[in-house]
Amino acid sequence: VYEKASILIAVFVLLIAPSVHTIVSWDFAMSITPNWHTTIFGPYFVVGAIYSGVAGVITLMILLRWIFGLDEIIMIMHLKNLSKLLLCIALIWSYFYFCEFITAWYAKNPTEWRIWEYQWERYPYLLIIMLVGSAIAITALSFHKVRTTPALLLPVVILINVGMFIERYLIV
């Protein structure tokens, strides 16, 4: 009974979560800024939520592993596989971020381009931390040693979570 219920709830959550994140992202992005109509923003926001969520789960797993000595339950194999997933999601998130930027640049829409200029003028250090942190995370997660060593993986996932917090801050 519990197994069937959990499968039903998982399917329900998988169907509802992307639609909720998409609506919230459009609400954040387009209600505050007039004439901004980025169509990739919905999937970009969903991927960003998954990206920071997986990084948060890995952070929690590493900390639980160290604090409570759960080495037999939370194995290196689990961290390695979640890190591979995190690398894929990081690449997708970076692609969406690049698409959002290149679309605004190529279209030369003054309103959208002004948003980029405003962020670079007002928050250059936050943007640099977010973009360089993402590049460092992608590079680090590409190495097997980082994916299989909790002490090396922890700073990477914390950097991802800091970068995603900055990204959400800059959106709103």
Side-chain angles (χ1 to χ4, degrees):
V1 173
Y2 292 116
E3 191 173 315
K4 287 182 182 180
S6 68
I7 289 172
L8 183 66
I9 290 171
V11 169
F12 180 72
V13 167
L14 285 174
L15 294 174
I16 295 298
S19 65
V20 169
H21 277 286
T22 302
I23 291 167
V24 167
S25 71
W26 286 334
D27 188 34
F28 281 163
M30 292 184 241
S31 66
I32 298 172
T33 310
N35 297 325
W36 193 22
H37 48 66
T38 304
T39 56
I40 197 160
F41 205 74
Y44 167 70
F45 201 81
V46 172
V47 169
I50 295 169
Y51 185 35
S52 61
V54 171
V57 166
I58 293 173
T59 304
L60 190 61
M61 287 173 67
I62 292 171
L63 293 176
L64 288 174
R65 191 171 195 265
W66 281 341
I67 293 169
F68 297 112
L70 300 175
D71 295 352
E72 287 104 29
I73 297 171
I74 303 172
M75 297 182 224
I76 295 296
M77 173 192 65
H78 298 125
L79 295 174
K80 182 178 85 170
N81 290 337
L82 274 173
S83 298
K84 288 179 186 177
L85 175 66
L86 188 62
L87 176 60
C88 291
I89 296 168
L91 291 170
I92 294 168
W93 180 84
S94 299
Y95 174 73
F96 281 168
Y97 195 83
F98 177 73
C99 284
E100 186 182 3
F101 171 77
I102 205 73
T103 303
W105 174 77
Y106 185 74
K108 294 180 178 55
N109 182 340
T111 305
E112 287 191 39
W113 192 247
R114 183 62 195 127
I115 292 167
W116 287 100
E117 288 176 344
Y118 176 77
Q119 287 182 346
W120 277 108
E121 290 167 3
R122 186 128 188 230
Y123 306 107
Y125 297 115
L126 293 179
L127 278 168
I128 290 169
I129 290 169
M130 182 183 74
L131 296 174
V132 172
S134 183
I136 289 170
I138 289 171
T139 305
L141 289 171
S142 299
F143 293 102
H144 183 264
K145 185 171 179 87
V146 173
R147 292 192 308 260
T148 56
T149 309
L152 295 176
L153 185 58
L154 185 62
V156 173
V157 293
I158 289 173
L159 182 64
I160 289 171
N161 279 324
V162 167
M164 290 308 294
F165 177 80
I166 291 170
E167 186 252 349
R168 295 298 195 237
Y169 176 76
L170 292 175
I171 287 174
V172 179

